[in-house]
Amino acid sequence: MVQMKSWLLWVTLVGCGGSSSESETVAPSSSADAGVDIVVTLVTGVRSDPKGNADESFLDATGLTGTRFVNAYAQSPSGFASLGSLLTGRYVGAIPMCGLLLEGDRVHTDDQQAWCAQIPEQQNTLAEVLGLYGYRTGFFTGDLASAKRLNHGFDTADHHTQWSDAMDAAKSWWAEDSSKPRLLVVVLSDDEGDILQSSSLPRFPERKYQWLEPLDPRVGKVSLDADSVATAYSSASKRAGASIASLLKGLDETRPRWTVAASTNGMSLTERGGFYASAVPLLTNNLLVDRAVRVPLLLSGPGQSAVNDESIVELVDIFPTLAGVAGAIAPAGQPGSDLRTPVSGTAYAEFGDMLSVRHESDFLVFRCTQHNATSIDPGLTRVLQDPNSARPPEFYSLYNVVDDPMQEHNLRQSDEAKFVAMRKRMIALRTGAAAVPEDAITPERLWALRMAPSDGYW
């Protein structure tokens, strides 16, 4: 069965070039010395930080030199869904996937997770594609919730609760066989515990406190000093980067190597703006605000000089970029583009009943306030397209995130022309590259989603 699927995928890939000429067909390399090694190093929860320096602390500590993208966007504030998007090169709804938030203090057994809380078997992944080109592929994580649901396409997948164990396992795997080019993906997380495993940044002991706290701080039973939080966050980000540096130093360089360092999602720390008229809770990534999806991203490889690039790019761009450096053909229909020749574009993200679009300096957020909804629910698309949905002001928030990165000044009511233009962009994406496949949501699956436990949505 695996061999048959690989053959069908190979036929699909070579067909993407638009030519049936034998001379133009790109075949997987059979030479042990061919190709380049590829390393993707990721951490959850480090944001691109215009208010602090957590992103710089993280990237500096990795020791990598290359292109830093200062306007890079994840496709979801959920690290789990964002990683699934990165590994498939598709927007979350187009996979389709939903965020997995049934871990930590709301742990459920594996058979209670939503059907969409994984990469579908029929969806091609970066590991699966590069495997067709002779690559060994390994996936190693430290403290990443339900990581095994993202194993699809990897030859080897090994998950640990400690970062150090994940690093040791990745180094051992790398050294086992250098005769083939290697794709190594390593993810460091916090399993929804302390942010980046920092005891100075504890999450709320009970989630109900987190959501009630903006109404009355006495309910949350917590007091956080903004400067102290920022300092601890930067320190924790630096620790994560140093862990990645330690890993990279332990990998032999048998052949040229391309390396990506990035975060799957950002965080809201003590900032309150960005969600219409409601105050954002402390220390959360559970709302779709700019700081929860704008992330550090660095691409290092032959010919990549140390520069900052201000193009608006996305994590879905990583798949076509790495396929390109490997000489592979990426699957058709992916929205991303090659980061080696970046062109500033539009960034799209989704989470629960929320969608966002960043274009130029503007960031538009839509929320239809459907309790227990996921972004793959077709009802979300219907509300978005309904002209009446543009009327309630609480459905949309519009910000200039260049001048106002923490989203304190909502421009929804004051700039109607810009709102209309941004809403059109959002609808075009939601019904185009980010559309949920028509055959993916059966009545049974939709019922299962809508009947999920209230703590299990998104």
Side-chain angles (χ1 to χ4, degrees), residues 37-56:
D37 285 328
I38 297 173
V39 181
V40 180
T41 56
L42 302 164
V43 64
T44 65
V46 177
R47 70 187 188 185
S48 185
D49 200 1
K51 195 174 181 179
N53 64 348
D55 50 347
E56 293 181 0

Side-chain angles (χ1 to χ4, degrees), residues 267-448:
M267 291 291 303
S268 187
L269 300 179
T270 58
E271 305 85 11
R272 297 300 200 179
F275 207 64
Y276 185 58
S278 301
V280 173
L282 300 170
L283 299 179
T284 184
N285 61 319
N286 286 357
L287 289 175
L288 212 174
V289 293
D290 183 81
R291 55 191 175 272
V293 285
R294 199 191 314 191
V295 295
L297 170 61
L298 184 148
L299 177 65
S300 176
Q304 294 295 116
S305 56
V307 297
N308 285 350
D309 193 302
E310 296 187 358
S311 304
I312 297 175
V313 299
E314 303 176 281
L315 294 190
V316 290
D317 296 329
I318 291 174
F319 193 134
T321 302
L322 297 183
V325 303
I329 301 174
Q334 291 183 336
S337 57
D338 197 323
L339 291 169
R340 293 174 295 172
T341 55
V343 177
S344 188
T346 297
Y348 173 86
E350 57 193 273
F351 187 57
D353 57 1
M354 296 169 279
L355 306 175
S356 73
V357 169
R358 163 78 193 272
H359 181 72
E360 296 180 346
S361 61
D362 301 311
F363 187 81
L364 179 70
V365 180
F366 165 74
R367 187 181 195 186
C368 65
T369 58
Q370 290 185 340
H371 179 65
N372 213 29
T374 77
S375 67
I376 62 176
D377 192 315
L380 184 63
T381 307
R382 287 195 294 269
V383 175
L384 175 66
Q385 292 179 297
D386 184 350
N388 291 326
S389 74
R391 293 179 180 175
E394 66 271 17
F395 275 30
Y396 292 91
S397 298
L398 176 66
Y399 301 91
N400 181 324
V401 290
V402 173
D403 298 335
D404 179 25
M406 294 303 157
Q407 298 173 257
E408 296 175 351
H409 306 289
N410 187 355
L411 306 177
R412 163 64 185 91
Q413 302 290 73
S414 60
D415 198 333
E416 183 69 16
K418 188 160 288 185
F419 162 70
V420 170
M422 288 293 288
R423 180 170 177 266
K424 286 181 178 178
R425 289 184 183 277
M426 181 176 284
I427 292 173
L429 278 163
R430 175 67 179 181
T431 58
V436 180
E438 291 183 1
D439 59 351
I441 309 297
T442 63
E444 293 78 14
R445 283 183 162 185
L446 184 57
W447 176 262

Side-chain angles (χ1 to χ4, degrees), residues 42-44 142-145 163 187-192 196-197:
L42 302 164
V43 64
T44 65
D143 215 16
L144 178 66
W163 288 4
V187 186
L188 304 180
S189 186
D190 64 0
D191 196 18
E192 293 195 330
L196 308 182
Q197 298 189 342

Side-chain angles (χ1 to χ4, degrees), residues 93-229:
I95 299 175
M97 275 186 68
C98 51
L100 185 65
L101 295 178
L102 297 182
E103 292 290 334
D105 57 2
R106 293 162 297 161
V107 65
H108 283 55
T109 61
D110 196 61
D111 61 357
Q112 291 176 307
Q113 307 290 6
W115 59 267
C116 49
Q118 60 187 347
I119 297 176
E121 181 65 26
Q122 69 273 17
Q123 190 61 257
N124 302 321
T125 62
L126 178 64
E128 189 175 21
V129 170
L130 294 192
L132 297 176
Y133 287 78
Y135 273 75
R136 294 176 60 226
T137 58
F139 179 40
F140 300 85
T141 68
D143 215 16
L144 178 66
S146 290
K148 65 181 180 180
R149 287 176 165 263
L150 301 170
N151 287 348
H152 179 44
F154 286 95
D155 299 331
T156 301
D158 198 4
H159 308 298
H160 301 267
T161 57
Q162 299 296 321
W163 288 4
S164 58
D165 293 339
M167 296 299 191
D168 290 343
K171 292 175 186 177
S172 296
W173 174 86
W174 184 271
E176 284 174 5
D177 183 4
S178 61
S179 65
K180 298 179 180 179
R182 294 158 286 198
L183 167 67
L184 172 63
V185 178
V186 177
V187 186
L188 304 180
S189 186
D190 64 0
D191 196 18
E192 293 195 330
D194 296 337
I195 298 174
L196 308 182
Q197 298 189 342
S198 172
S199 59
S200 302
L201 293 166
R203 298 288 181 92
F204 282 74
E206 293 187 42
R207 300 220 169 234
K208 61 185 179 182
Y209 290 160
Q210 183 182 36
W211 298 104
L212 292 173
E213 183 274 335
L215 303 177
D216 187 338
R218 294 171 297 179
V219 176
K221 300 179 181 179
V222 64
S223 177
L224 296 177
D225 175 71
D227 291 337
S228 298
V229 167

